[in-house]
Amino acid sequence: MINLAVDLAFQLVQMTLVICLAPALTGLVRVVKARLTRRRGPPLLQPYRDLARLARKEAIVADSASWLFRMTPYIVFAATWVAAALTPTFATGLLFSWAADLIAIVALLGMARFFLGLAGMDVGTSFGGLGSSREAMFATLAEPAMIVIVFSLALVAGSTQLSTIAAYMASPTVGLRVTLGMALIALIIVAVAENGRIPVDNPATHLELTMVHEAMILEYSGRHLAVIELASMLKLTLYVSLIICVFAPWGAAIADAGIGARLAGVAIYVLKLGVAGALLGAFETSVAKMRVFRVPDFLGAALMLGFLGALLLFVSRTLK
């Protein structure tokens, strides 16, 4: 009973940790970008203030909006939070680790994207429909690329369960493999595209002809916008945690580890998240936003890298 209570407590820590650190990661990226461009920029805690300010405001809903428009922020937030909470961050083998399957996480993110695209078209504005159509175009390449990456990792680790993959990747038997490098690059490309980061989209812009994610949520305000913005920050944290879990699992506590090891895993995870945020800010500063019609080529590279990695693994397994 005591072990069950401890496991439940650390699972709650996992769920709370991702939602508390998500705005800090976004704030860190903004701070790094501002410093690299010699600007003062917003403080690190500004995303928390923005969310609190939006939560206090009244939500204005268009007369033509249906129940779908009102429910979508909560559906998107719930799906993204569940996916982020299932991804191992500081420890593997948590209480709900049996549900932390890569295919389930891809399905949850696909559901969130589906409802957000519908909400963008629900009010009937031209910008919402434009953003939804672009999001659907990107998803036709991003989701297949993600599935191929999952297939590659499953061939390497023998499972799509994230705790199993993390344990295998942390073992010395994995070694250096070209296929894993391909999968890493493909996953980074998909993460950049799925989160609407530069060079795919600029989250700081409000230019109607170029924005994608911002166009879909243009009609939201108040608490609805706060929930969607928090879900967007959670999505970025989810993808960074996924990359850390699969390709840099070192320092994470193993299953049935003690309380001290898990607390050390929390500190190491926060450090990894900070390094990833700094690298993302430096990357976005060094590249320019590409044209919208070049994004399929960008995502096509991820699809081809994932497919080639899976093909090499399959051929190597067949020849053995």
Side-chain angles (χ1 to χ4, degrees), residues 87-307:
T87 304
T89 55
F90 62 90
T92 60
L94 293 177
L95 188 61
F96 296 148
S97 61
W98 57 269
D101 191 276
L102 274 172
I103 298 177
I105 290 175
V106 173
L108 286 169
L109 293 176
M111 182 181 71
R113 181 192 299 108
F114 173 74
F115 277 97
L116 193 59
L118 288 181
M121 298 183 292
D122 185 67
V123 180
T125 60
S126 57
F127 290 138
L130 181 66
S132 297
S133 64
R134 288 176 175 175
E135 182 71 13
M137 179 184 68
F138 298 161
T140 56
L141 287 173
E143 286 192 357
M146 192 66 187
I147 292 297
V148 173
I149 294 169
V150 171
F151 183 59
S152 299
L153 295 174
L155 285 175
V156 172
S159 175
T160 57
Q161 212 271 343
L162 278 172
S163 292
T164 304
I165 294 175
Y168 181 81
M169 296 293 287
S171 65
T173 58
V174 62
L176 294 176
R177 303 191 184 188
V178 177
T179 53
L180 291 178
M182 292 180 177
L184 173 60
I185 296 173
L187 184 56
I188 291 175
I189 293 175
V190 171
V192 168
E194 288 280 69
N195 287 280
R197 311 298 304 190
I198 296 175
V200 175
D201 191 17
N202 187 357
T205 187
H206 290 281
L207 182 62
E208 291 86 354
L209 294 178
T210 61
M211 61 186 182
V212 180
H213 179 266
E214 295 293 330
M216 291 188 292
I217 65 174
L218 200 59
E219 296 298 320
Y220 281 106
S221 61
R223 63 179 182 276
H224 292 162
L225 184 58
V227 173
I228 287 183
E229 290 292 346
L230 182 56
S232 178
M233 297 173 186
L234 267 172
K235 189 176 181 180
L236 178 61
T237 306
L238 162 63
Y239 273 97
V240 173
S241 301
L242 195 61
I243 294 173
I244 291 173
C245 168
V246 175
F247 296 100
W250 310 285
I254 60 175
D256 300 326
I259 296 177
R262 293 185 178 183
L263 292 177
V266 172
I268 295 173
Y269 169 69
V270 174
L271 179 61
K272 290 179 183 177
L273 208 62
V275 173
L279 291 176
L280 178 60
F283 172 75
E284 291 190 352
T285 307
S286 62
V287 297
K289 183 184 178 301
M290 64 177 63
R291 295 178 60 190
V292 173
F293 296 107
R294 291 187 59 190
V295 175
D297 297 334
F298 183 68
L299 285 171
L303 180 60
M304 288 298 102
L305 283 172
F307 178 75

Side-chain angles (χ1 to χ4, degrees), residues 57-102:
K57 290 187 174 182
E58 180 185 0
I60 306 299
V61 181
D63 295 333
S64 58
S66 68
W67 64 269
L68 180 67
F69 184 84
R70 297 177 176 85
M71 291 300 298
T72 291
Y74 305 104
I75 296 174
V76 171
F77 172 75
T80 309
W81 190 17
V82 170
L86 289 178
T87 304
T89 55
F90 62 90
T92 60
L94 293 177
L95 188 61
F96 296 148
S97 61
W98 57 269
D101 191 276
L102 274 172

